[in-house]
Amino acid sequence: MMPAMFEAYFQTFEDPEGGVALTARLAAFREELARRQLTGFVIPRADRQQNEYVPPSEERLAWLTGFTGSAGLAIVLATEAAVFVDGRYTLQAAQQVDVRAWSIASLVDPPPESWLTEHLAAGDRLGYDPWLHTSAAVERLAKACAKAGAELVPVDSNPVDSVWTDRPAPPLGPVTIHDAAFAGEAEADKLVRIRAEMTKLGVDALVLSDSHAVAWTFNIRGADVSHTPLPLSYALVPKDGRPTIFIDRRKLSDSARAHLERNADVRETDELTDALTRTAQSGAAIALDKATAADALSRLITSAGGKPMGGNDPVALLKAVKNPTEIAGARAAHRRDAVALARFLAWIDREAPKGTLTEIDAVEALETFRRETGALKDVSFPTISGTGPNGAIVHYRVTRKSNRRIVPGDLLLIDSGAQYEDGTTDVTRTIAIGDPTDEMRDRFTRVLRGHIAIARAVFPDGASGAQLDTLARQFLWQAGLDFEHGTGHGVGSYLSVHEGPARISKLGTTPLRRGMILSNEPGYYKRDAFGIRIENLVLVTEAGIADAEKPMNSFETLTLAPIDRRLIDHRISKKEVAWLNDYHARVRREVRPHLDEATKLWLDAATEPLP
């Protein structure tokens, strides 16, 4: 029988109802739109704060369409309906969505607005929930409607909720204090830095619409969404006086409330609109995060006489640059995680060739090894365990229905991470089960060479992730190959495993600063065959080049786990071999003392130097 701790992985929205149930939901939704005199409606995969992971009560897109990816949008018209996804989810959407009722289209190029201009007619009324879209998103929708001669209509209540009769209740996860031993900076000191940024912006107040920003600023964590210790909340920070935190008080213990009230007033979530109205009535300039602030907030400020100032949340960059305590915690978390990873990889090498394990078995085993560290709070995202063709689905999530046996001749792609109080981890390894083909070795080696190119990169202070992204793709490009996701994302400190604003990608314009933690994860995916990804987390550090004419940075690799030597072919260069051997020597040095004897022997063989 499956242990209770794993039940949540493989039910609810991970393997949604299909067929008749979804058809009935779409029909009921269209009836509700007609009742409201709406021609259509836009359903984003979002909550009021644009979180990546949302509570079950906010999973409107999954409930209506069956698609469970972390990014997407649906548009329902009277006779047409479409689900929009990016390149990570093209294969997944095709498997989950009823293509007889829904078409599947691009979320990026072309965007959904292009679809709207083709399918809306003059006089149509397209509805949207202003709490679930940013102002920038609403502007794009409005332009598309205007081009078609249609009207964009904000609604007071979401029509999905009207037909979702068994919608779960909002979460009430308890708030915990993030101790100074992990945070490394007091709340009052953080507020001083935030206000200095507000002065630069020339604003009278700042709305923290991102719960991650609230959690970081006030050194709290929560349990309102899966995999991220997030307390759903808002804060209003004036340039003078005490901030106010808006949170459901049922989440607060006496100690948590006392902790918050040292530096802020505490109010109920539904009091935000009144407080924001009072602030705006004086004509105040109020900063809003363009990435997470709901259009409803901007509309409210404007109607009350204030000036909404959309831009980048200054807290995002402050949070992304880790302090010495957080950096030390990240190193400790990765060493701890490495012990669990070594035990798991040794177990896979021993058991998988027998052909009896499944993808779910791998998920269960890896989390068990992590739990046995005694420090695991949660996995940092749903473990991706894909073998054979499932590995080619970039953000694949195994369900009971899709669960595949791991057999010799396949590759197993395992992408996982952990939440520890001192740090967040994220690591991907691709493992050969039995003998890999020459094609597998070629593709793996090209991905590995790109990974090493990022790991060895030296770059000027202030360079962006877009300037480095090509390094990861160059060897794939030489063979006419590529991958349809970013090379790296930022990572929080016991917060979101996907943290902005910095990233390594074609769109990564934020300068990389010392103290930022990012992923290094190039990949390759052959549809219906296999997937490859190699991911380590890296820390931006000073390069330490003697006599350098300008400040230079490099990466310190944090992740400590063997890379499968069996998948490397002769194309790897001497410098790349030297990097890999040095990396594996470090893995042995830091991880081996904490392993049992059998796993030590496996690690010795897995990290043996390449000639």
Side-chain angles (χ1 to χ4, degrees):
M1 180 178 294
M2 185 179 299
M5 72 177 76
F6 299 113
E7 280 296 316
Y9 272 150
F10 312 114
Q11 59 186 13
T12 314
F13 291 113
E14 291 125 39
D15 195 7
E17 295 177 80
V20 174
L22 290 179
T23 301
R25 291 172 189 176
L26 180 57
F29 183 64
R30 280 187 165 128
E31 290 177 5
E32 178 65 16
L33 294 184
R35 188 184 70 79
R36 297 189 184 205
Q37 297 182 323
L38 293 172
T39 311
F41 199 78
V42 184
I43 307 101
R45 201 277 183 178
D47 63 6
R48 291 188 168 202
Q49 296 167 308
Q50 302 296 313
N51 286 307
E52 176 181 12
Y53 298 114
V54 301
S57 58
E58 304 298 311
E59 290 277 15
R60 296 177 182 87
L61 182 64
W63 181 83
L64 186 63
T65 70
F67 172 66
T68 63
S70 65
L73 179 141
I75 299 174
V76 176
L77 301 179
T79 59
E80 300 276 352
V83 176
F84 301 83
V85 298
D86 62 30
R88 299 171 296 170
Y89 293 116
T90 304
L91 297 181
Q92 179 177 331
Q95 294 177 0
Q96 292 183 321
V97 173
D98 183 355
V99 295
R100 295 168 298 181
W102 302 85
S103 58
I104 299 172
S106 168
L107 186 64
V108 181
D109 187 18
E113 292 78 21
S114 297
W115 187 91
L116 277 173
T117 58
E118 295 176 3
H119 290 82
L120 286 174
D124 281 351
R125 302 178 77 245
L126 180 71
Y128 78 101
D129 185 339
W131 281 102
L132 300 182
H133 298 261
T134 65
S135 293
V138 172
E139 287 176 9
R140 293 191 297 269
L141 291 172
K143 287 180 181 178
C145 288
K147 189 174 182 180
E151 179 185 3
L152 184 64
V153 182
V155 299
D156 294 327
S157 63
N158 196 303
V160 175
D161 300 346
S162 298
V163 295
W164 189 358
T165 55
D166 57 349
R167 182 184 172 211
L172 289 173
V175 169
T176 57
I177 300 168
H178 193 52
D179 194 86
F182 303 119
E185 185 179 11
E187 308 87 74
D189 295 331
K190 292 181 177 181
L191 285 167
V192 169
R193 291 206 286 146
I194 292 170
R195 284 190 163 120
E197 296 300 318
M198 292 171 60
T199 298
K200 294 177 186 177
L201 295 173
V203 297
D204 300 302
L206 167 67
V207 176
L208 299 184
S209 55
D210 183 353
S211 293
H212 301 84
V214 179
W216 178 86
T217 300
F218 296 99
N219 288 331
I220 57 173
R221 297 296 186 264
D224 283 335
V225 302
S226 301
H227 315 305
T228 303
L230 202 60
L232 294 179
S233 52
Y234 293 89
L236 180 60
V237 182
K239 65 179 181 181
D240 300 304
R242 282 168 66 84
T244 304
I245 297 169
F246 302 91
I247 189 169
D248 191 317
R249 292 188 183 219
R250 291 174 292 177
K251 302 175 185 178
L252 301 177
S253 64
D254 290 343
S255 59
R257 183 181 294 107
H259 169 83
L260 291 175
E261 288 179 342
R262 289 205 308 251
N263 295 282
D265 296 329
V266 179
R267 298 287 183 265
E268 290 291 339
T269 306
D270 58 11
E271 295 182 55
L272 170 65
T273 54
D274 288 341
L276 200 53
T277 299
R278 288 193 299 272
T279 302
Q281 283 172 341
S282 64
I286 302 174
L288 294 171
D289 178 20
K290 65 181 182 182
T292 63
D295 180 59
L297 296 175
S298 180
R299 291 163 57 87
L300 185 153
I301 293 169
T302 300
S303 64
K307 301 172 185 176
M309 308 288 285
N312 296 321
D313 180 359
V315 175
L317 188 57
L318 297 176
K319 174 165 55 68
V321 178
K322 310 302 185 279
N323 62 46
T325 298
E326 292 171 320
I327 291 170
R331 291 177 177 135
H334 280 86
R335 284 193 295 270
R336 181 187 311 116
D337 207 46
V339 174
L341 287 166
R343 294 180 65 200
F344 168 77
L345 292 170
W347 175 80
I348 280 286
D349 263 8
R350 183 177 66 249
E351 299 297 329
K354 299 175 184 177
T356 59
L357 296 181
T358 67
E359 294 166 338
I360 286 179
D361 292 331
V363 172
E364 293 177 355
L366 182 49
E367 183 167 333
T368 297
F369 287 127
R370 282 192 166 117
R371 287 189 182 277
E372 289 175 356
T373 66
L376 182 71
K377 293 297 184 180
D378 194 358
V379 293
S380 55
F381 58 95
T383 298
I384 297 169
S385 173
T387 187
N390 287 344
I393 302 173
V394 177
H395 276 198
Y396 170 70
R397 187 168 180 182
V398 59
T399 67
R400 295 185 184 92
K401 186 184 298 183
S402 70
N403 189 27
R404 183 180 173 89
R405 195 169 298 280
I406 303 168
V407 297
D410 277 347
L411 298 181
L412 172 64
L413 187 155
I414 188 98
D415 185 350
S416 68
Q419 292 283 12
Y420 304 106
E421 279 190 284
D422 50 1
T424 300
T425 71
D426 183 2
V427 52
T428 308
R429 288 297 180 264
T430 304
I431 306 159
I433 309 301
D435 294 326
T437 65
D438 289 342
E439 181 187 35
M440 291 173 177
R441 286 193 178 97
D442 173 81
R443 303 305 192 251
F444 182 91
T445 304
R446 293 179 188 277
V447 171
L448 175 60
R449 296 183 73 189
H451 177 97
I452 294 173
I454 293 289
R456 297 179 64 236
V458 177
F459 48 95
D461 193 37
S464 69
Q467 292 172 278
L468 300 181
D469 184 73
T470 304
L471 297 176
R473 301 175 189 271
Q474 57 183 311
F475 304 105
L476 289 165
W477 284 354
Q478 289 169 7
L481 310 170
D482 204 355
F483 53 94
E484 296 299 320
H485 56 76
T487 297
H489 55 81
V491 178
S493 181
Y494 190 43
L495 269 175
S496 177
V497 74
H498 299 131
E499 179 180 84
R503 52 182 169 166
I504 304 173
S505 81
K506 300 168 187 176
L507 303 176
T509 57
T510 299
L512 304 184
R513 295 176 55 182
R514 294 170 191 171
M516 289 180 170
I517 296 175
L518 302 105
S519 66
N520 170 12
E521 52 177 311
Y524 170 75
Y525 312 91
K526 183 175 181 179
R527 184 168 186 156
D528 298 327
F530 59 83
I532 294 166
R533 189 158 64 249
I534 304 169
E535 178 185 19
N536 287 341
L537 297 193
V538 295
L539 170 71
V540 182
T541 63
E542 183 179 358
I545 299 175
D547 301 321
E549 294 183 358
K550 59 170 59 179
M552 302 295 290
N553 293 337
S554 60
F555 291 122
E556 172 193 332
T557 295
L558 298 172
T559 306
L560 298 167
I563 294 169
D564 197 337
R565 298 161 65 258
R566 298 165 295 192
L567 281 162
I568 302 172
D569 70 15
H570 65 277
R571 291 177 179 83
I572 191 168
S573 72
K574 289 182 180 180
K575 288 183 178 180
E576 292 160 345
V577 168
W579 180 92
L580 185 64
N581 287 343
D582 287 345
Y583 175 71
H584 278 160
R586 182 180 161 217
V587 171
R588 282 197 308 278
R589 183 171 62 251
E590 297 195 34
V591 180
R592 194 178 192 278
H594 307 287
L595 300 175
D596 59 87
E597 290 303 317
T599 309
K600 285 180 180 178
L601 292 175
W602 173 87
L603 185 68
D604 290 343
T607 59
E608 184 178 340
L610 286 175

